[in-house]
Amino acid sequence: VQLQASGGGLVQAGDSLRLSCAASGPTSSTYVMSWFRQAPGKEREFVAGVMRTGVRKDYADSVKGRFTISRAVPRNTVYLQMNDLKSEDTAVYYCAGTTRPYGQIPTTTTNYAYWGQGTLVTVSS
């Protein structure tokens, strides 16, 4: 499974941005797809995740109500709609995927075998 992330950029606080992650390869086996982010000097942290069907989702508390994850099943593309962006959202955003049939969306990096290259989101205040 190969993941290709895109959509990052420089925006102002309060603006919106949408990230995309396109999966290729044996995509039918991708069970969970998630977004993580890593700010300078910090560890990579979970942002949002979605199960294969696109119904079950999970979010980090810091983005609930502002970010929305969605999944286009036929194209196996995952989106992260980010609204009301804040300076603390500045980070490199990574999409991640796993083929293991977890019962719930894992939030730790070690649970994901596949990673995109990352896309930089910079929010100026």
Side-chain angles (χ1 to χ4, degrees), residues 20-54:
S20 300
C21 177
S24 59
T27 56
S28 61
S29 63
T30 306
Y31 204 82
V32 180
M33 293 184 73
S34 294
W35 287 95
F36 286 74
R37 66 186 181 186
Q38 188 167 18
K42 296 187 176 180
E43 294 187 351
R44 194 170 299 188
E45 63 176 1
F46 174 81
V47 176
V50 59
M51 289 288 199
R52 176 186 292 170
T53 61

Side-chain angles (χ1 to χ4, degrees), residues 11-84:
V11 297
Q12 294 185 337
D15 285 351
S16 298
L17 204 60
R18 189 177 81 156
L19 306 181
S20 300
C21 177
S24 59
T27 56
S28 61
S29 63
T30 306
Y31 204 82
V32 180
M33 293 184 73
S34 294
W35 287 95
F36 286 74
R37 66 186 181 186
Q38 188 167 18
K42 296 187 176 180
E43 294 187 351
R44 194 170 299 188
E45 63 176 1
F46 174 81
V47 176
V50 59
M51 289 288 199
R52 176 186 292 170
T53 61
V55 175
R56 189 166 183 177
K57 305 174 183 179
D58 193 17
Y59 297 91
D61 288 342
S62 59
V63 306
K64 282 181 180 177
R66 300 188 298 120
F67 290 12
T68 302
I69 190 170
S70 60
R71 183 168 184 169
V73 176
R75 291 186 295 274
N76 227 348
T77 300
V78 174
Y79 303 97
L80 185 67
Q81 177 66 43
M82 305 184 293
N83 298 329
D84 190 24

Side-chain angles (χ1 to χ4, degrees), residues 98-116:
T98 177
T99 57
R100 296 188 65 180
Y102 290 104
Q104 56 186 6
I105 296 169
T107 59
T108 56
T109 59
T110 54
N111 293 117
Y112 292 86
Y114 306 102
W115 291 85

